[in-house]
Amino acid sequence: MRIYLPCTLPVLAEILAEGRVGGEPLTAFAVTGALRATGGDDEELEYEAMLSAGDASLRLLAADPGAPRRRVVLAADMPEAAITEDADLGGPAAVRVDGSVPYKKLASAHVDDAGAEEGIGRAVADPEAGHQDDHDLMWYAVQELKYLVE
């Protein structure tokens, strides 16, 4: 199952050093039954799950004033047995991940361009406003992640 994990650039550096996304349990976002009930095709639902993780990344940025103002969303493929739907964690796309996510399970990252930092900074001031900042997340291959944190 494809999941989307909210992150920040400093946390991404820790993940690269440790070789896993730690913390138990983890909150992530995915195409869940509750999200499917809202309507849309698979591609739209995946995008909505990713944007939900982007909203959660805003909340992480609000908690870390020193982090660069760029949302980071990690996409990973995990076995369904490790995932539990839990809308109480953050909406219809929210899931709980039991255990850590090994680096080898990461499929890609989605990160704001450096030029978006001003707009994301404004969004961080009100993280519950969500992704109303008109900035698209850029796609990065897993092999490129080390360059994001340098």
Side-chain angles (χ1 to χ4, degrees):
M1 170 180 246
R2 174 67 49 101
I3 62 170
Y4 298 93
L5 298 147
C7 193
T8 64
L9 288 174
V11 172
L12 178 59
E14 292 172 16
I15 290 167
L16 293 175
E18 292 178 14
R20 66 184 181 89
V21 181
E24 261 190 67
L26 293 168
T27 298
F29 300 86
V31 176
T32 63
L35 186 60
R36 282 192 188 285
T38 66
D41 64 27
D42 286 345
E43 188 174 323
E44 291 169 330
L45 295 172
E46 287 284 339
Y47 187 68
E48 188 59 38
M50 182 183 68
L51 290 179
S52 294
D55 290 347
S57 180
L58 283 176
R59 292 187 289 278
L60 294 175
L61 289 170
D64 184 358
R69 295 324 199 200
R70 295 171 70 184
R71 295 170 298 168
V72 178
V73 174
L74 302 175
D77 294 313
M78 293 292 290
E80 287 190 36
I83 309 298
T84 305
E85 291 186 33
D86 192 343
D88 291 338
L89 293 173
V95 297
R96 185 182 71 242
V97 181
D98 297 319
S100 63
V101 176
Y103 179 81
K104 67 181 181 178
K105 295 288 188 181
L106 296 180
S108 62
H110 307 270
V111 182
D112 283 308
D113 187 81
E117 286 190 30
E118 185 178 329
I120 296 302
R122 286 191 302 271
V124 166
D126 184 10
E128 296 307 316
H131 46 81
Q132 306 298 324
D133 48 73
D134 296 324
H135 296 287
D136 290 326
L137 294 167
M138 310 292 286
W139 181 89
Y140 289 87
V142 173
Q143 305 87 304
E144 298 174 297
L145 297 180
K146 63 183 175 186
Y147 302 115
L148 288 170
V149 299
E150 289 181 345

